[in-house]
Amino acid sequence: MRRERVLQVLLLLVGLFFVAGIYPLLTSIPQHQQSDYGDQMMLAVYFVLGLFLLLAVSRPADHRSLIAFTGWGTLAHDAVMALQAAQLKQFRSELLPLTVVAVLCIALIVLVPPK
């Protein structure tokens, strides 16, 4: 029961974090900078993922695949970003936030409810 409660809190926090991405998305769209297009698309995807994570809070066991996808997919995204940050000096400041997100993703993966 405690494990499920920890997972629910984690789902709530990650879901709210992803949903909060709507603010930078909406503020960057009017600027029409082509370099932001990829970031805007990712923010839109993560916003929707956040909404579904918030829906999963009440019954995590019914949303195992979503939780696993969130953990593994975000971890894969972070791995690519970490490699880019290691190669390009201007992205090195993102290594600490990537580490925090990676820890949250690993926690999601570990806490995925068993079948």
Side-chain angles (χ1 to χ4, degrees):
M1 189 62 160
R2 178 175 162 83
R3 177 183 171 143
E4 182 178 4
R5 188 51 137 178
V6 171
L7 177 59
Q8 287 175 318
V9 170
L10 189 57
L11 287 171
L12 179 66
L13 292 175
V14 173
L16 289 173
F17 177 72
F18 285 172
V19 167
I22 194 71
Y23 178 75
L25 173 63
L26 294 177
T27 57
S28 67
I29 287 175
Q31 296 172 4
H32 301 294
Q33 293 181 10
Q34 189 172 0
S35 61
D36 291 339
Y37 290 175
D39 292 339
Q40 291 169 351
M41 288 185 276
M42 287 304 298
L43 285 171
V45 170
Y46 277 113
F47 171 74
V48 173
L49 182 56
L51 292 175
F52 278 90
L53 289 176
L54 293 175
L55 293 173
V57 170
S58 61
R59 293 190 325 229
D62 293 344
H63 303 277
R64 293 181 73 253
S65 297
L66 175 70
I67 297 166
F69 171 78
T70 302
W72 287 110
T74 307
L75 199 56
H77 179 255
D78 284 359
V80 171
M81 287 186 67
L83 288 172
Q84 291 173 339
Q87 294 171 348
L88 303 168
K89 290 180 182 177
Q90 67 263 31
F91 294 124
R92 293 213 175 123
S93 63
E94 295 185 23
L95 285 174
L96 180 61
L98 286 174
T99 304
V100 172
V101 173
V103 168
L104 293 174
C105 290
I106 292 168
L108 279 176
I109 293 166
V110 168
L111 293 171
V112 169
K115 283 187 176 180

